Amino acid sequence: MGKYVTADPYPYPYNGDLRPENTVFLIIDMQTDFCGKGGYVDKMGYDISLTRAPIAPILKVLTKARNIGMHVFHTREGHRPDLADLPENKRWRSRRIGAGIGDPGPCGKILVRGEPGWDIIPELAPKPGEPIIDKPGKGSFWATDLDMLLRQRGINNIVLAGITTDVCVHTTMREANDRGFECLLLEDCCGATDYGNHQAAIKMVKMQGGVFGAVAKSDDFVDALS
């Protein structure tokens, strides 16, 4: 008999093979630049209460995952200090909205590796042994070793959380789905700079019988692991 999470539009995972050994809790971009005072999102003028909302639910799942020995990975979006990996159009767009990537800000140079704003918030700080994927773009697979690390550890199931639901989380989920991983989005463990976009991103996952995977709430996931 398999183990499933109560999820929409189907019980997750599809084959009932839910184990700490083959499942990763992937926490995407919970950095000061995205959910902290003076960071990138704050400097753009968005309400960071929306991007901070997932912190408590993520911590609840993270505590459970660590207690049962489930894999935990973290990601950070950021660019090299010399900005050699920053596309010109990305920098142009960010400057146009008043938060130029690589420019000085209250938390150091915006979205630059090694700066205070680039680091993961203290509440969700990685523990020793938990891989951190440093990525230059929105997806967690492009220009990273994420795929190799997942396959080396025998991981088939990816449970996604973090920021933002409609951009980095969604891009990563699509990338993972195309690579054959079974994906679950924890809706209360994600946030976006616009709540409507958050809801739309969740709806997209559920279409066509779960075109990118399934969606669940953190409590349902934790209950399934108990």
Side-chain angles (χ1 to χ4, degrees), residues 161-183:
I163 298 168
T164 55
T165 323
D166 53 333
V167 184
C168 294
V169 176
H170 226 267
T171 302
T172 297
M173 190 173 194
R174 290 168 182 243
E175 290 178 325
N177 175 265
D178 278 346
R179 287 167 170 80
F181 294 101
E182 172 69 343
C183 297

Side-chain angles (χ1 to χ4, degrees), residues 96-195:
R96 190 166 178 260
I97 53 178
I101 296 172
D103 293 344
C107 300
K109 293 180 180 177
I110 295 171
L111 281 184
V112 170
R113 295 178 185 181
E115 298 290 327
W118 160 83
D119 216 352
I120 293 168
I121 59 174
E123 300 97 310
L124 301 175
K127 286 195 171 182
E130 295 176 353
I132 303 172
I133 308 300
D134 284 318
K135 59 190 184 71
K138 299 166 184 67
S140 300
F141 286 86
W142 184 76
T144 76
D145 56 3
L146 176 57
D147 187 81
M148 180 179 69
L149 292 178
L150 293 171
R151 298 191 191 280
Q152 286 284 86
R153 297 179 183 219
I155 294 170
N156 302 311
N157 304 322
I158 301 179
V159 179
L160 297 104
I163 298 168
T164 55
T165 323
D166 53 333
V167 184
C168 294
V169 176
H170 226 267
T171 302
T172 297
M173 190 173 194
R174 290 168 182 243
E175 290 178 325
N177 175 265
D178 278 346
R179 287 167 170 80
F181 294 101
E182 172 69 343
C183 297
L184 179 69
L185 180 71
L186 297 182
E187 59 178 289
D188 56 332
C189 290
C190 298
T193 54
D194 178 271
Y195 187 63

Side-chain angles (χ1 to χ4, degrees), residues 52-84:
R52 291 187 63 81
I55 295 174
I58 290 174
L59 185 57
K60 175 178 57 183
V61 176
L62 180 58
T63 300
K64 182 67 174 182
R66 285 170 171 165
N67 286 343
I68 65 172
M70 180 177 288
H71 300 279
V72 175
F73 287 14
H74 307 259
T75 77
R76 291 181 295 208
E77 182 179 347
H79 295 277
R80 295 171 179 268
D82 64 1
L83 305 182

